[in-house]
Amino acid sequence: MFQPIESNVSVYKKIAAQIQDMIERGELKKGDRLPPERQLAEMLQVGRPALKQAISALEMMGVIRSRQGDGNYVASDSVELLNPLAVRSYLDHKNGDDILEFRYIMEVQMAALAAVKITREQLAEFQELMDAMRRETEAGADMAKRKFYNNLFHYQIVELCDNKLIESIYSSMMGLISDHISYTDGKDFYKSHLRIFEAIKAGNSAGAARCMAEHFQNKFPNYQHYQAIYGDVRKDFSES
């Protein structure tokens, strides 16, 4: 059952977390239609703008699918989070490097752009997300929780870019990206993202890009073309 949401800076993230938890517990299942937005906002005791933001975030992560004029539906469960077209492309090519290269090239540059564009209000929301990630780490978060907050972290960076074309392209791949994350992210997921956040917080565009590149190179050490694309930054960071 939906519960009222406490009001704070990042209400939409609490809404998204509650819906995700309900899916993980089986209270909401794939194909279920969410209550109409006006009714759902009243049930959660939140404003409709915050609810719309939460729905957009979940849609980007492949969890919710919005049907124009029909409503919002659960598009995935705790097991299946893949966009069918992305799955077909992946199975046709059978090459995990395709996903890695897309993420690496996009996200390194998005981190740099986020550091340039972040506002004070956005920084407050980002800080709250990092605080939540830290608390989940200290509480021994399971894979479902780590995956959820990890997805929110990367979605936050997409939002900070404030570029509808980037958001559209990244969103179209989000289901496959979500699955990609689940195979690599460990219990140190807070620490592994902290340096990226700190660089963005400081407005350090080059540093944010380098921290994101380091993040990928540590998570996917067997990829052979790092040196050719951005160079191997791991040695630089280990000496700093």
Side-chain angles (χ1 to χ4, degrees):
M1 182 63 64
F2 293 100
Q3 300 296 320
I5 297 294
E6 295 181 6
S7 178
N8 63 24
V9 176
S10 298
V11 172
Y12 87 94
K13 292 177 183 174
K14 289 194 172 184
I15 299 170
Q18 183 177 145
I19 293 174
Q20 180 75 357
D21 284 344
M22 292 174 72
I23 293 171
E24 294 292 339
R25 293 195 302 268
E27 295 180 32
L28 289 172
K29 297 180 174 60
K30 183 176 180 179
D32 285 352
R33 185 178 185 272
L34 297 183
E37 289 187 6
R38 185 181 299 277
Q39 179 183 344
L40 184 54
E42 292 175 356
M43 294 168 69
L44 297 170
Q45 298 181 15
V46 299
R48 292 189 69 184
L51 176 61
K52 286 182 178 294
Q53 194 174 10
I55 295 297
S56 294
L58 290 169
E59 186 174 15
M60 186 174 184
M61 291 189 289
V63 176
I64 296 296
R65 179 173 291 109
S66 296
R67 299 177 185 172
Q68 187 68 30
D70 188 25
N72 301 307
Y73 289 80
V74 177
S76 65
D77 53 32
S78 59
V79 176
E80 184 182 8
L81 283 170
L82 296 181
N83 179 294
L85 293 177
V87 172
R88 186 183 308 146
S89 174
Y90 180 60
L91 293 178
D92 285 346
H93 292 88
K94 295 182 175 61
N95 186 357
D97 282 353
D98 288 356
I99 313 166
L100 173 59
E101 288 168 353
F102 174 84
R103 292 190 63 204
Y104 187 59
I105 292 170
M106 286 283 290
E107 295 191 40
V108 169
Q109 296 305 319
M110 286 194 301
L113 187 58
V116 173
K117 289 189 170 184
I118 192 169
T119 66
R120 183 175 299 177
E121 292 77 15
Q122 289 170 329
L123 178 57
E125 289 192 356
F126 207 172
Q127 181 66 67
E128 184 171 330
L129 173 59
M130 295 305 297
D131 291 343
M133 291 175 73
R134 175 180 50 78
R135 289 193 295 269
E136 290 294 341
T137 298
E138 292 171 350
D142 60 16
M143 173 57 76
K145 285 286 188 181
R146 297 199 306 270
K147 184 175 180 179
F148 175 70
Y149 280 101
N150 199 341
N151 283 343
L152 275 183
F153 178 92
H154 291 278
Y155 175 63
Q156 183 84 55
I157 292 177
V158 174
E159 280 191 324
L160 293 176
C161 291
D162 191 26
N163 182 304
K164 293 302 182 184
L165 182 59
I166 290 176
E167 183 173 341
S168 177
I169 293 171
Y170 200 83
S171 177
S172 69
M173 292 289 293
M174 195 61 199
L176 197 52
I177 289 168
S178 176
D179 189 69
H180 196 232
I181 287 171
S182 72
Y183 289 108
T184 61
D185 195 48
K187 294 182 179 180
D188 64 341
F189 79 119
Y190 169 70
K191 182 179 178 182
S192 68
H193 292 87
L194 183 59
R195 295 189 72 160
I196 303 168
F197 167 74
E198 292 290 353
I200 292 174
K201 177 180 177 181
N204 183 350
S205 182
R210 287 166 60 82
C211 286
M212 184 65 81
E214 178 203 28
H215 176 71
F216 273 91
Q217 291 179 21
N218 285 338
K219 290 292 182 180
F220 304 93
N222 296 325
Y223 180 66
Q224 60 180 321
H225 299 304
Y226 286 128
Q227 188 66 43
I229 301 175
Y230 294 122
D232 190 335
V233 300
R234 288 170 293 183
K235 182 174 184 294
D236 296 335
F237 275 94
S238 67
E239 293 176 350
S240 60

PDB file of all heavy atoms in Angstrom, residues 15-35:
ATOM      1  N   ILE A  15       9.701   9.024  -3.531  1.00  0.00           N
ATOM      2  CA  ILE A  15       8.579   8.415  -4.254  1.00  0.00           C
ATOM      3  C   ILE A  15       9.087   7.259  -5.107  1.00  0.00           C
ATOM      4  O   ILE A  15       8.528   6.154  -5.084  1.00  0.00           O
ATOM      5  CB  ILE A  15       7.882   9.455  -5.150  1.00  0.00           C
ATOM      6  CG1 ILE A  15       7.323  10.605  -4.327  1.00  0.00           C
ATOM      7  CG2 ILE A  15       6.762   8.792  -5.971  1.00  0.00           C
ATOM      8  CD1 ILE A  15       6.835  11.784  -5.153  1.00  0.00           C
ATOM      9  N   ALA A  16      10.158   7.511  -5.860  1.00  0.00           N
ATOM     10  CA  ALA A  16      10.722   6.477  -6.735  1.00  0.00           C
ATOM     11  C   ALA A  16      11.181   5.277  -5.920  1.00  0.00           C
ATOM     12  O   ALA A  16      10.958   4.122  -6.313  1.00  0.00           O
ATOM     13  CB  ALA A  16      11.889   7.049  -7.539  1.00  0.00           C
ATOM     14  N   ALA A  17      11.791   5.531  -4.759  1.00  0.00           N
ATOM     15  CA  ALA A  17      12.282   4.438  -3.921  1.00  0.00           C
ATOM     16  C   ALA A  17      11.120   3.597  -3.393  1.00  0.00           C
ATOM     17  O   ALA A  17      11.209   2.366  -3.328  1.00  0.00           O
ATOM     18  CB  ALA A  17      13.104   5.000  -2.755  1.00  0.00           C
ATOM     19  N   GLN A  18      10.010   4.263  -3.022  1.00  0.00           N
ATOM     20  CA  GLN A  18       8.863   3.518  -2.503  1.00  0.00           C
ATOM     21  C   GLN A  18       8.257   2.628  -3.583  1.00  0.00           C
ATOM     22  O   GLN A  18       7.933   1.457  -3.329  1.00  0.00           O
ATOM     23  CB  GLN A  18       7.787   4.468  -1.967  1.00  0.00           C
ATOM     24  CG  GLN A  18       6.609   3.724  -1.366  1.00  0.00           C
ATOM     25  CD  GLN A  18       5.558   4.621  -0.749  1.00  0.00           C
ATOM     26  OE1 GLN A  18       4.371   4.333  -0.813  1.00  0.00           O
ATOM     27  NE2 GLN A  18       5.986   5.728  -0.138  1.00  0.00           N
ATOM     28  N   ILE A  19       8.116   3.153  -4.799  1.00  0.00           N
ATOM     29  CA  ILE A  19       7.560   2.354  -5.892  1.00  0.00           C
ATOM     30  C   ILE A  19       8.475   1.178  -6.208  1.00  0.00           C
ATOM     31  O   ILE A  19       8.019   0.049  -6.404  1.00  0.00           O
ATOM     32  CB  ILE A  19       7.323   3.232  -7.132  1.00  0.00           C
ATOM     33  CG1 ILE A  19       6.218   4.255  -6.847  1.00  0.00           C
ATOM     34  CG2 ILE A  19       6.963   2.371  -8.343  1.00  0.00           C
ATOM     35  CD1 ILE A  19       5.999   5.268  -7.946  1.00  0.00           C
ATOM     36  N   GLN A  20       9.781   1.445  -6.222  1.00  0.00           N
ATOM     37  CA  GLN A  20      10.739   0.369  -6.485  1.00  0.00           C
ATOM     38  C   GLN A  20      10.661  -0.704  -5.404  1.00  0.00           C
ATOM     39  O   GLN A  20      10.693  -1.905  -5.700  1.00  0.00           O
ATOM     40  CB  GLN A  20      12.162   0.941  -6.555  1.00  0.00           C
ATOM     41  CG  GLN A  20      13.251  -0.083  -6.818  1.00  0.00           C
ATOM     42  CD  GLN A  20      13.293  -0.558  -8.251  1.00  0.00           C
ATOM     43  OE1 GLN A  20      12.449  -0.157  -9.069  1.00  0.00           O
ATOM     44  NE2 GLN A  20      14.244  -1.407  -8.572  1.00  0.00           N
ATOM     45  N   ASP A  21      10.538  -0.290  -4.148  1.00  0.00           N
ATOM     46  CA  ASP A  21      10.433  -1.253  -3.048  1.00  0.00           C
ATOM     47  C   ASP A  21       9.170  -2.107  -3.190  1.00  0.00           C
ATOM     48  O   ASP A  21       9.188  -3.317  -2.929  1.00  0.00           O
ATOM     49  CB  ASP A  21      10.408  -0.520  -1.703  1.00  0.00           C
ATOM     50  CG  ASP A  21      11.787  -0.024  -1.281  1.00  0.00           C
ATOM     51  OD1 ASP A  21      12.786  -0.501  -1.850  1.00  0.00           O
ATOM     52  OD2 ASP A  21      11.851   0.833  -0.386  1.00  0.00           O
ATOM     53  N   MET A  22       8.078  -1.489  -3.600  1.00  0.00           N
ATOM     54  CA  MET A  22       6.828  -2.226  -3.769  1.00  0.00           C
ATOM     55  C   MET A  22       6.947  -3.261  -4.887  1.00  0.00           C
ATOM     56  O   MET A  22       6.390  -4.354  -4.795  1.00  0.00           O
ATOM     57  CB  MET A  22       5.685  -1.256  -4.056  1.00  0.00           C
ATOM     58  CG  MET A  22       5.324  -0.372  -2.864  1.00  0.00           C
ATOM     59  SD  MET A  22       4.079   0.891  -3.251  1.00  0.00           S
ATOM     60  CE  MET A  22       2.622  -0.151  -3.420  1.00  0.00           C
ATOM     61  N   ILE A  23       7.699  -2.916  -5.920  1.00  0.00           N
ATOM     62  CA  ILE A  23       7.946  -3.873  -7.004  1.00  0.00           C
ATOM     63  C   ILE A  23       8.802  -5.021  -6.506  1.00  0.00           C
ATOM     64  O   ILE A  23       8.524  -6.197  -6.770  1.00  0.00           O
ATOM     65  CB  ILE A  23       8.607  -3.165  -8.205  1.00  0.00           C
ATOM     66  CG1 ILE A  23       7.632  -2.166  -8.839  1.00  0.00           C
ATOM     67  CG2 ILE A  23       9.061  -4.179  -9.259  1.00  0.00           C
ATOM     68  CD1 ILE A  23       8.259  -1.270  -9.885  1.00  0.00           C
ATOM     69  N   GLU A  24       9.856  -4.694  -5.745  1.00  0.00           N
ATOM     70  CA  GLU A  24      10.748  -5.732  -5.224  1.00  0.00           C
ATOM     71  C   GLU A  24      10.011  -6.678  -4.281  1.00  0.00           C
ATOM     72  O   GLU A  24      10.292  -7.882  -4.253  1.00  0.00           O
ATOM     73  CB  GLU A  24      11.934  -5.085  -4.486  1.00  0.00           C
ATOM     74  CG  GLU A  24      12.882  -4.291  -5.370  1.00  0.00           C
ATOM     75  CD  GLU A  24      13.647  -5.171  -6.327  1.00  0.00           C
ATOM     76  OE1 GLU A  24      13.765  -6.385  -6.070  1.00  0.00           O
ATOM     77  OE2 GLU A  24      14.130  -4.654  -7.351  1.00  0.00           O
ATOM     78  N   ARG A  25       9.034  -6.155  -3.524  1.00  0.00           N
ATOM     79  CA  ARG A  25       8.275  -6.986  -2.579  1.00  0.00           C
ATOM     80  C   ARG A  25       7.130  -7.733  -3.252  1.00  0.00           C
ATOM     81  O   ARG A  25       6.479  -8.550  -2.618  1.00  0.00           O
ATOM     82  CB  ARG A  25       7.724  -6.128  -1.439  1.00  0.00           C
ATOM     83  CG  ARG A  25       8.767  -5.535  -0.519  1.00  0.00           C
ATOM     84  CD  ARG A  25       8.123  -5.028   0.764  1.00  0.00           C
ATOM     85  NE  ARG A  25       7.095  -4.030   0.493  1.00  0.00           N
ATOM     86  CZ  ARG A  25       7.319  -2.720   0.466  1.00  0.00           C
ATOM     87  NH1 ARG A  25       8.545  -2.252   0.677  1.00  0.00           N
ATOM     88  NH2 ARG A  25       6.325  -1.872   0.221  1.00  0.00           N
ATOM     89  N   GLY A  26       6.885  -7.440  -4.517  1.00  0.00           N
ATOM     90  CA  GLY A  26       5.815  -8.115  -5.236  1.00  0.00           C
ATOM     91  C   GLY A  26       4.451  -7.472  -5.067  1.00  0.00           C
ATOM     92  O   GLY A  26       3.444  -8.009  -5.542  1.00  0.00           O
ATOM     93  N   GLU A  27       4.383  -6.310  -4.391  1.00  0.00           N
ATOM     94  CA  GLU A  27       3.107  -5.613  -4.237  1.00  0.00           C
ATOM     95  C   GLU A  27       2.655  -5.005  -5.553  1.00  0.00           C
ATOM     96  O   GLU A  27       1.457  -4.832  -5.801  1.00  0.00           O
ATOM     97  CB  GLU A  27       3.222  -4.532  -3.163  1.00  0.00           C
ATOM     98  CG  GLU A  27       3.474  -5.077  -1.766  1.00  0.00           C
ATOM     99  CD  GLU A  27       3.579  -3.972  -0.735  1.00  0.00           C
ATOM    100  OE1 GLU A  27       2.907  -2.926  -0.901  1.00  0.00           O
ATOM    101  OE2 GLU A  27       4.329  -4.142   0.245  1.00  0.00           O
ATOM    102  N   LEU A  28       3.625  -4.627  -6.376  1.00  0.00           N
ATOM    103  CA  LEU A  28       3.349  -4.184  -7.743  1.00  0.00           C
ATOM    104  C   LEU A  28       4.065  -5.150  -8.679  1.00  0.00           C
ATOM    105  O   LEU A  28       5.232  -5.480  -8.455  1.00  0.00           O
ATOM    106  CB  LEU A  28       3.864  -2.758  -7.968  1.00  0.00           C
ATOM    107  CG  LEU A  28       3.111  -1.622  -7.283  1.00  0.00           C
ATOM    108  CD1 LEU A  28       3.863  -0.313  -7.464  1.00  0.00           C
ATOM    109  CD2 LEU A  28       1.694  -1.503  -7.829  1.00  0.00           C
ATOM    110  N   LYS A  29       3.374  -5.578  -9.712  1.00  0.00           N
ATOM    111  CA  LYS A  29       3.947  -6.549 -10.644  1.00  0.00           C
ATOM    112  C   LYS A  29       3.957  -5.988 -12.055  1.00  0.00           C
ATOM    113  O   LYS A  29       3.237  -5.042 -12.371  1.00  0.00           O
ATOM    114  CB  LYS A  29       3.150  -7.858 -10.601  1.00  0.00           C
ATOM    115  CG  LYS A  29       3.198  -8.563  -9.248  1.00  0.00           C
ATOM    116  CD  LYS A  29       2.393  -9.854  -9.287  1.00  0.00           C
ATOM    117  CE  LYS A  29       2.568 -10.642  -7.989  1.00  0.00           C
ATOM    118  NZ  LYS A  29       2.123  -9.885  -6.808  1.00  0.00           N
ATOM    119  N   LYS A  30       4.792  -6.584 -12.882  1.00  0.00           N
ATOM    120  CA  LYS A  30       4.885  -6.162 -14.275  1.00  0.00           C
ATOM    121  C   LYS A  30       3.500  -6.177 -14.911  1.00  0.00           C
ATOM    122  O   LYS A  30       2.755  -7.146 -14.787  1.00  0.00           O
ATOM    123  CB  LYS A  30       5.829  -7.092 -15.043  1.00  0.00           C
ATOM    124  CG  LYS A  30       6.035  -6.689 -16.492  1.00  0.00           C
ATOM    125  CD  LYS A  30       7.049  -7.578 -17.159  1.00  0.00           C
ATOM    126  CE  LYS A  30       7.243  -7.174 -18.614  1.00  0.00           C
ATOM    127  NZ  LYS A  30       8.253  -8.011 -19.300  1.00  0.00           N
ATOM    128  N   GLY A  31       3.160  -5.071 -15.563  1.00  0.00           N
ATOM    129  CA  GLY A  31       1.852  -4.949 -16.201  1.00  0.00           C
ATOM    130  C   GLY A  31       0.829  -4.229 -15.359  1.00  0.00           C
ATOM    131  O   GLY A  31      -0.207  -3.793 -15.877  1.00  0.00           O
ATOM    132  N   ASP A  32       1.092  -4.074 -14.049  1.00  0.00           N
ATOM    133  CA  ASP A  32       0.151  -3.363 -13.183  1.00  0.00           C
ATOM    134  C   ASP A  32       0.098  -1.886 -13.567  1.00  0.00           C
ATOM    135  O   ASP A  32       1.122  -1.270 -13.892  1.00  0.00           O
ATOM    136  CB  ASP A  32       0.562  -3.470 -11.715  1.00  0.00           C
ATOM    137  CG  ASP A  32       0.262  -4.840 -11.125  1.00  0.00           C
ATOM    138  OD1 ASP A  32      -0.390  -5.640 -11.816  1.00  0.00           O
ATOM    139  OD2 ASP A  32       0.695  -5.087  -9.991  1.00  0.00           O
ATOM    140  N   ARG A  33      -1.077  -1.320 -13.517  1.00  0.00           N
ATOM    141  CA  ARG A  33      -1.269   0.110 -13.793  1.00  0.00           C
ATOM    142  C   ARG A  33      -1.240   0.868 -12.472  1.00  0.00           C
ATOM    143  O   ARG A  33      -1.933   0.504 -11.518  1.00  0.00           O
ATOM    144  CB  ARG A  33      -2.589   0.335 -14.510  1.00  0.00           C
ATOM    145  CG  ARG A  33      -2.850   1.772 -14.955  1.00  0.00           C
ATOM    146  CD  ARG A  33      -4.183   1.840 -15.702  1.00  0.00           C
ATOM    147  NE  ARG A  33      -4.440   3.150 -16.244  1.00  0.00           N
ATOM    148  CZ  ARG A  33      -5.054   4.146 -15.589  1.00  0.00           C
ATOM    149  NH1 ARG A  33      -5.443   3.938 -14.330  1.00  0.00           N
ATOM    150  NH2 ARG A  33      -5.269   5.305 -16.162  1.00  0.00           N
ATOM    151  N   LEU A  34      -0.432   1.923 -12.406  1.00  0.00           N
ATOM    152  CA  LEU A  34      -0.413   2.762 -11.211  1.00  0.00           C
ATOM    153  C   LEU A  34      -1.705   3.571 -11.144  1.00  0.00           C
ATOM    154  O   LEU A  34      -2.343   3.826 -12.174  1.00  0.00           O
ATOM    155  CB  LEU A  34       0.783   3.713 -11.243  1.00  0.00           C
ATOM    156  CG  LEU A  34       2.184   3.090 -11.220  1.00  0.00           C
ATOM    157  CD1 LEU A  34       3.239   4.194 -11.188  1.00  0.00           C
ATOM    158  CD2 LEU A  34       2.356   2.170 -10.025  1.00  0.00           C
ATOM    159  N   PRO A  35      -2.113   3.997  -9.957  1.00  0.00           N
ATOM    160  CA  PRO A  35      -3.287   4.862  -9.857  1.00  0.00           C
ATOM    161  C   PRO A  35      -3.084   6.129 -10.688  1.00  0.00           C
ATOM    162  O   PRO A  35      -1.938   6.537 -10.929  1.00  0.00           O
ATOM    163  CB  PRO A  35      -3.356   5.191  -8.356  1.00  0.00           C
ATOM    164  CG  PRO A  35      -2.634   4.065  -7.680  1.00  0.00           C
ATOM    165  CD  PRO A  35      -1.537   3.683  -8.624  1.00  0.00           C
TER     166      PRO A  35
END
